[in-house]
Amino acid sequence: MPLKETFLSLKKAQALLALQNRSQKDAALLAAAAAINSARAAILSANAADVERAKSGGMKEALVDRLFLDDSRIDSIIEGIKTVAGLDDPAGRVKAGWKTPNGLFIEECTVPLGVAAIIYESRPNVTADAASLAYKAGCAILLRGSSAALESNRAITAAFRQGLESGGGIAEAVELAGSGDRGDVDEILSARGLVDVVLPRGGHDLIRRVVENARVPVIETGEGNCHIFADASADIPAAVDIIENAKVQKPGACNAVETVLVHRDIISALMPALAARLAGRVELRCDAASKAAVSKAGVPAGLVLKDASEADWAEEFLDYILAVKTVDSTEQAIEHINRWGTRNSEAILTNDMKNAETFTQKVDAACVYTNASTRFTDGGVFGFGAELGISTQKFHARGPMGLDALTTTKYRISGQGHIRGRE
Amino acid sequence: MPLKETFLSLKKAQALLALQNRSQKDAALLAAAAAINSARAAILSANAADVERAKSGGMKEALVDRLFLDDSRIDSIIEGIKTVAGLDDPAGRVKAGWKTPNGLFIEECTVPLGVAAIIYESRPNVTADAASLAYKAGCAILLRGSSAALESNRAITAAFRQGLESGGGIAEAVELAGSGDRGDVDEILSARGLVDVVLPRGGHDLIRRVVENARVPVIETGEGNCHIFADASADIPAAVDIIENAKVQKPGACNAVETVLVHRDIISALMPALAARLAGRVELRCDAASKAAVSKAGVPAGLVLKDASEADWAEEFLDYILAVKTVDSTEQAIEHINRWGTRNSEAILTNDMKNAETFTQKVDAACVYTNASTRFTDGGVFGFGAELGISTQKFHARGPMGLDALTTTKYRISGQGHIRGRE
C-alpha cells in the first residue's frame, strides 16, 4: 500500500500500543525474540538470497559482510530484543507535579512520541533493534531498510510481528517499507503530520540527505570530527594511552578521535612517544612543529608521517589516520574545536583544573571529556541500556540517546470546576 | 548587513553570553528595562510614525491598536523585562549525575540552545519580551518583526541594547532584522547551522508559512481547536460555568473552547441552561439533537442558533461562536477530538473517574483537563513565570513553555586516564 496508508495504520496501532503497560509490552517483545529464534532457517535463507544478489551485483566485501547473517549474529539480534524488554518503560513517568495557587493540580507525564520512521543501511540487525526500541517506548515504527537487505528485513519483520501477535502485542505497530525504492525516502521525509520523528542511521551521505530534505522532525546522528587537546600540564604516558585508544580501538566509530591538538610546551615530550606508539598502525598528518618534534627524535620504523593541510582539520577520517596540530593555549584549542568540530565528543587532557573548566564550558559539544578517551560516548557505557544512536543536534535530544528520546510529555490537569478569572 | 553576517555575529555574542552568570545577566536586563524607561519619548515618537503610516495605509483599527504604544503599554514592557530578570536561570542546572561502573563521572547539564530567531507580527511589546527571555536563557536572538512596526522595534531594540551595554551585558546578542522585507523570513528559515531555533509568533498564516518552509528547528505555537466534553455524569451548573468561561473569557486565545461535545443523556438538561447563559453573546452551531434540546425548551431571546456543518468541527473560530455536537460515549468524544483537535488543550467534565482516566489517557494533546476550563493553559498560570508560547508540537517542547525550551544539554565527563576496553 502507499506509505500514507501505512502511516495512518501505524497511527491507529500506536494509539493502542500507548495503552499497553510495561509487562504487556515486555511479554510481546520476548515473544518476538522467541519468534526470531524459531524463524532462523527462513531468515538465513532470505539473507543468503540478499548476499548472493549483492555479490553478483559486485558489492564491496566489507559491505557484504555488514549484510551477512549467521547463527551467532541472529543470537545477538535475539539478545538485543531481550535487553530492550528488560529496560524501564520510558513512558508513563511523572516528571513533575505541583498545585497552582488557585488549587489546580498539574502533572507532567512522559508519553510515547508517536509514529517513528527509521531509514537505515544494510545491517539487517537494525531492523529488530529499532523495532524493539520503538515498541518498548510505545511508538509505532516504519522500517525503511536498504533494498540490498530487503529479503532479510522481510523475514525478520515477519517473524517479529508474528511474535508480537502471539505475545498479545500489536503487530500493526511495526511495518516494513516494502518496495525498497528511493521514492520511499522522499515520501517519509515529507510526511508532515503523519510521522513524529525520523531516525536516519547509516553513512554520512544518508544522514546529510535526510537532514537536508526532511519536512518532519529528524534526530541527526553519527557525525563525529572529534578532538583531543593535550594541554601543557597533561600526563604524557596517560596522553599516549588515551590518544591511541581513541584512535585505534574502533576507528570507524563516530566518537573516534580525528585530530589531536598539542600544547607547544609538550610537543617535544609527547610527539616522539605518540609516534613510537602509533608507528605501523596510524598515519600521522602533522603541522610543522609537531612534525619537527617527531623528526628531531628520529622517525620510528614504519611510521607514515605526512604534512597536514587545512582539509585535514575538516575531515572525519574514520580510518587509521590522525591529524596533529600545535597550539599555544587552551583558547586556541577551543577555537579550533568550535570551528572544525561536529559537536559530538571532545576531550582535554590536563592536570590544570582551570583549563579543564574553561575547556568544558567553552567547547560546544554533546560530550566534553576531561582525562578520558572520547570513545566512551555510547548509550551502553552511559548506562542507558540501549543505544538509540548519538544525537549530534541540540534540539529535542543531544548526545547518547536512551529510550527517552522517543517520548514527549503531556500535562494532566485536574480541577474542581475551576474557571479562569478576568485578566 | 546580510543576515548571514548577522547570524555569525550573534553566534560570537552567544558564546560570550553563555559565560555570564545569572547575576550578570539580571543586571544587564534591569539596565535594559531602565534604558527603555529613559527612551520613552524616542519610542513613542517612533511608534507614532508607524501608527501614522499604518493608518494612511488603511490598516484595520484592531491591527492599528495592536501596533499602538502609550505610556502604560511601555510600563508593562518594562515590567515584563523585570519579571524575566527575576526568573531562575534555566542554564547551568545539573539535571542528572552518576558514576559509571568503570568509574567515569558523568553530569548532564543544561546549556543555552544557542542562537534563536523570532518572527512576529505587529505588537512591538514582543520585541523586548522575546529579547529578554532569550537573553536570560543565554541565547542570542534575531528579532524579525513586521515592517509595520519597524520604527517602534528599532527604537525599542536600540534602547534595549544600550541598556545591556551600560549594565555590563552583551548588546551584540540582540539584533533586529532591519529591512523588514519578506526575503528576511526565507533567509532565516533556510539558515541551517546558523540558527538553533525559530519561534514564529502571530496568526495562523504566519505560523503555517514558517512551519512548512523551515529548514531549521521550529517551535510551533498558537493553534488551538479545543474541545470540552461534558459526559453523562457532569455537574450541569459547573459545566455551564466552565463552558462559558472557556468560550467568552478570551475568545481570541488559542486555548479558548471551539466545540463542546455533550453526552446524549444530559443534552436536554445541559443545552437549555447553556443556551440561556450564552444568549446574546455567543452564536451556537448545533447538531440536530443539541439544537432540538434548545428549541424544545424554548429558544432564549437574543440567541443565534444555527445548524453545525462538518466544517465547524475543523474551524478555530477565535470568536463568539461555539459548535455543539452530541455524542453517545466517551470513546466517541475522544475519537472526535483526536480527529479534529489541534493537540493543544482538551477537557472532560465528569464525576466518573473511569471516564476521566480514559479521556486523559487517550486524548492526544499537550494539556488534558478534568473539570476545569481549557483557558488555564498558560505559562504564567502553570507557574513558569514567563510565557514563551504554547507549543503545539511534540518535538523538543510541548504545551506552555518556560525558559527551559531555550536550553539543551551537555554531558560533562571526567575520568582519570580512562580508556575504553575492546568490545
Side-chain angles (χ1 to χ4, degrees):
Chain A
M1 52 184 165
L3 280 188
K4 177 161 193 214
E5 297 310 309
T6 310
F7 279 125
L8 292 173
S9 118
L10 284 168
K11 200 182 172 87
K12 276 211 191 76
Q14 195 274 324
L16 297 174
L17 177 56
L19 300 175
Q20 301 248 308
N21 57 38
R22 175 182 171 173
S23 51
Q24 291 170 305
K25 290 189 284 188
D26 293 351
L29 284 171
L30 293 173
I36 299 246
N37 190 36
S38 348
R40 278 175 190 272
I43 294 168
L44 289 173
S45 68
N47 181 251
D50 282 334
V51 169
E52 184 45 47
R53 192 156 33 87
K55 283 181 171 166
S56 58
M59 184 187 276
K60 282 212 203 89
E61 195 42 57
L63 291 178
V64 172
D65 179 67
R66 298 199 327 167
L67 178 56
F68 176 73
L69 289 177
D70 58 16
D71 269 305
S72 79
R73 286 186 177 185
I74 290 181
D75 290 340
S76 52
I77 286 174
I78 293 166
E79 278 320 299
I81 301 172
K82 290 179 177 168
T83 304
V84 172
L87 297 176
D88 291 341
D89 192 336
R93 243 175 344 101
V94 177
K95 286 175 77 178
W98 65 94
K99 208 150 195 166
T100 59
N102 66 349
L104 278 176
F105 183 59
I106 302 180
E107 281 179 314
E108 183 185 24
C109 306
T110 61
V111 295
L113 193 56
V115 175
I118 180 168
I119 300 171
Y120 55 106
E121 286 166 347
S122 51
R123 295 182 199 279
N125 62 299
V126 174
T127 305
D129 190 12
S132 50
L133 287 164
Y135 198 89
K136 181 68 182 234
C139 293
I141 188 165
L142 178 70
L143 303 156
R144 202 291 186 184
S146 71
S147 48
L150 194 53
E151 295 308 318
S152 313
N153 290 338
R154 280 183 176 148
I156 292 167
T157 308
F160 195 95
R161 286 171 51 114
Q162 179 268 314
L164 291 179
E165 194 82 58
S166 69
I170 292 147
E172 298 71 22
V174 177
E175 293 280 357
L176 181 71
S179 75
D181 81 51
R182 285 174 69 85
D184 281 359
V185 172
D186 304 323
E187 212 177 328
I188 292 167
L189 297 184
S190 55
R192 292 192 55 81
L194 296 171
V195 58
D196 295 297
V197 64
V198 173
L199 304 161
R201 198 149 150 185
H204 177 83
D205 295 350
L206 169 68
I207 288 166
R208 279 290 115 213
R209 179 172 170 225
V210 168
V211 168
E212 276 157 23
N213 297 297
R215 281 261 173 271
V216 293
V218 172
I219 299 180
E220 185 172 0
T221 63
E223 275 206 281
N225 181 11
C226 305
H227 303 75
I228 293 176
F229 167 50
D231 93 346
S233 67
D235 177 286
I236 302 292
V240 173
D241 291 342
I242 289 172
I243 294 166
E244 173 195 27
N245 179 258
K247 179 75 264 181
V248 309
Q249 196 244 358
K250 198 174 176 190
C254 69
N255 53 23
V257 67
E258 306 293 1
T259 297
V260 168
L261 303 166
V262 184
H263 192 287
R264 196 173 299 277
D265 296 355
I266 60 163
I267 201 82
S268 57
L270 176 62
M271 288 312 297
L274 185 62
R277 180 70 65 88
L278 300 179
R281 293 187 294 160
V282 178
E283 171 185 324
L284 294 182
R285 298 191 185 172
C286 297
D287 69 346
S290 57
K291 191 180 183 193
V294 174
S295 311
K296 187 151 171 261
V299 180
L303 177 71
V304 179
L305 183 62
K306 295 186 178 169
D307 293 313
S309 70
E310 185 164 287
D312 293 314
W313 310 144
E315 178 97 4
E316 185 178 359
F317 301 113
L318 298 172
D319 198 354
Y320 292 91
I321 301 170
L322 181 67
V324 182
K325 187 183 184 188
T326 311
V327 296
D328 295 302
S329 66
T330 303
E331 288 300 334
Q332 230 181 68
I334 293 166
E335 219 169 89
H336 180 99
I337 291 167
N338 286 342
R339 172 167 182 202
W340 298 105
T342 54
R343 321 265 180 262
N344 184 322
S345 302
E346 306 293 347
I348 180 172
L349 311 182
T350 183
N351 289 309
D352 180 322
M353 291 193 65
K354 199 166 147 304
N355 287 350
E357 185 54 28
T358 303
F359 186 89
T360 304
Q361 270 200 35
K362 291 190 174 180
V363 165
D364 180 17
C367 300
V368 183
Y369 292 83
T370 304
N371 297 324
S373 169
T374 52
R375 285 278 299 117
F376 288 109
T377 299
D378 175 276
V381 171
F382 275 43
F384 299 157
E387 170 80 24
L388 201 69
I390 296 168
S391 166
T392 49
Q393 69 188 41
K394 294 198 274 185
F395 207 64
H396 184 72
R398 193 183 201 194
M401 292 182 285
L403 286 172
D404 290 350
L406 289 179
T407 66
T408 183
T409 56
K410 176 193 275 187
Y411 287 104
R412 302 165 60 114
I413 306 105
S414 43
Q416 305 83 40
H418 282 66
I419 61 174
R420 188 163 178 185
R422 290 238 152 281
E423 269 95 81
Chain B
M1 53 184 163
L3 279 187
K4 177 161 194 219
E5 296 310 308
T6 309
F7 279 125
L8 292 173
S9 118
L10 284 168
K11 199 183 172 87
K12 275 210 191 78
Q14 195 275 324
L16 297 173
L17 178 54
L19 299 175
Q20 301 249 308
N21 56 39
R22 177 183 168 172
S23 51
Q24 293 170 305
K25 291 189 284 189
D26 292 350
L29 285 171
L30 293 174
I36 298 248
N37 189 36
S38 356
R40 279 175 190 271
I43 294 170
L44 289 174
S45 69
N47 181 250
D50 283 334
V51 169
E52 184 45 47
R53 189 157 35 85
K55 282 181 170 163
S56 58
M59 184 188 276
K60 283 211 204 92
E61 195 42 56
L63 290 179
V64 172
D65 177 68
R66 298 197 328 165
L67 179 57
F68 176 73
L69 289 177
D70 57 17
D71 269 307
S72 79
R73 286 188 178 185
I74 289 180
D75 289 340
S76 54
I77 286 173
I78 292 166
E79 277 320 299
I81 300 171
K82 289 179 178 168
T83 304
V84 172
L87 297 176
D88 291 341
D89 192 335
R93 240 173 349 98
V94 177
K95 286 175 77 177
W98 64 96
K99 210 151 195 163
T100 60
N102 65 349
L104 279 177
F105 182 59
I106 302 179
E107 282 179 313
E108 183 185 22
C109 305
T110 61
V111 295
L113 193 54
V115 175
I118 180 167
I119 300 172
Y120 55 105
E121 286 167 348
S122 50
R123 296 183 197 279
N125 63 298
V126 174
T127 305
D129 189 12
S132 50
L133 287 164
Y135 198 88
K136 180 68 182 234
C139 292
I141 189 165
L142 178 69
L143 304 156
R144 201 290 185 186
S146 71
S147 49
L150 193 54
E151 294 310 318
S152 313
N153 290 339
R154 279 182 176 149
I156 292 167
T157 307
F160 194 96
R161 287 171 51 114
Q162 179 267 316
L164 291 179
E165 194 81 59
S166 68
I170 293 148
E172 299 71 22
V174 177
E175 292 280 358
L176 182 71
S179 76
D181 81 51
R182 286 174 70 85
D184 281 358
V185 172
D186 304 322
E187 212 176 328
I188 292 167
L189 297 184
S190 55
R192 291 194 56 80
L194 296 172
V195 60
D196 296 298
V197 65
V198 172
L199 304 160
R201 199 148 149 185
H204 177 83
D205 294 350
L206 168 69
I207 288 167
R208 280 290 115 215
R209 176 169 173 231
V210 168
V211 169
E212 275 157 25
N213 297 297
R215 281 264 173 267
V216 293
V218 172
I219 299 180
E220 185 174 359
T221 62
E223 276 206 280
N225 182 11
C226 305
H227 303 75
I228 293 176
F229 167 50
D231 92 345
S233 66
D235 177 289
I236 302 292
V240 173
D241 291 340
I242 289 172
I243 295 166
E244 172 194 27
N245 178 258
K247 179 75 264 182
V248 309
Q249 196 244 357
K250 197 174 174 189
C254 69
N255 53 21
V257 67
E258 306 293 1
T259 297
V260 168
L261 302 165
V262 184
H263 193 286
R264 194 173 300 278
D265 296 356
I266 59 162
I267 199 84
S268 57
L270 177 62
M271 287 313 296
L274 185 63
R277 181 70 65 89
L278 300 179
R281 293 186 294 160
V282 178
E283 169 184 323
L284 293 182
R285 298 192 185 173
C286 297
D287 68 346
S290 58
K291 190 180 184 192
V294 175
S295 312
K296 187 150 171 263
V299 179
L303 177 71
V304 179
L305 183 62
K306 294 186 177 168
D307 292 314
S309 70
E310 186 164 288
D312 293 314
W313 309 146
E315 177 99 3
E316 185 179 357
F317 301 113
L318 297 173
D319 198 355
Y320 291 91
I321 301 171
L322 182 67
V324 182
K325 187 184 185 189
T326 311
V327 296
D328 295 302
S329 65
T330 303
E331 289 298 335
Q332 232 183 65
I334 293 165
E335 220 169 87
H336 179 98
I337 290 168
N338 285 343
R339 172 166 182 204
W340 299 105
T342 53
R343 319 266 179 264
N344 184 321
S345 302
E346 306 293 347
I348 181 172
L349 310 182
T350 183
N351 288 311
D352 181 322
M353 290 195 66
K354 201 167 146 302
N355 288 351
E357 185 54 28
T358 303
F359 185 89
T360 303
Q361 270 200 34
K362 292 190 172 179
V363 164
D364 180 17
C367 301
V368 183
Y369 291 84
T370 303
N371 297 325
S373 168
T374 52
R375 286 277 299 119
F376 288 109
T377 298
D378 174 278
V381 172
F382 274 42
F384 299 158
E387 169 80 26
L388 202 68
I390 295 167
S391 166
T392 49
Q393 68 188 40
K394 294 198 274 184
F395 206 64
H396 185 70
R398 193 183 200 195
M401 291 182 285
L403 286 173
D404 290 351
L406 289 179
T407 67
T408 182
T409 57
K410 175 192 274 187
Y411 286 104
R412 301 164 62 114
I413 306 106
S414 44
Q416 304 84 39
H418 282 65
I419 62 173
R420 188 161 179 188
R422 290 240 150 280
E423 268 97 78

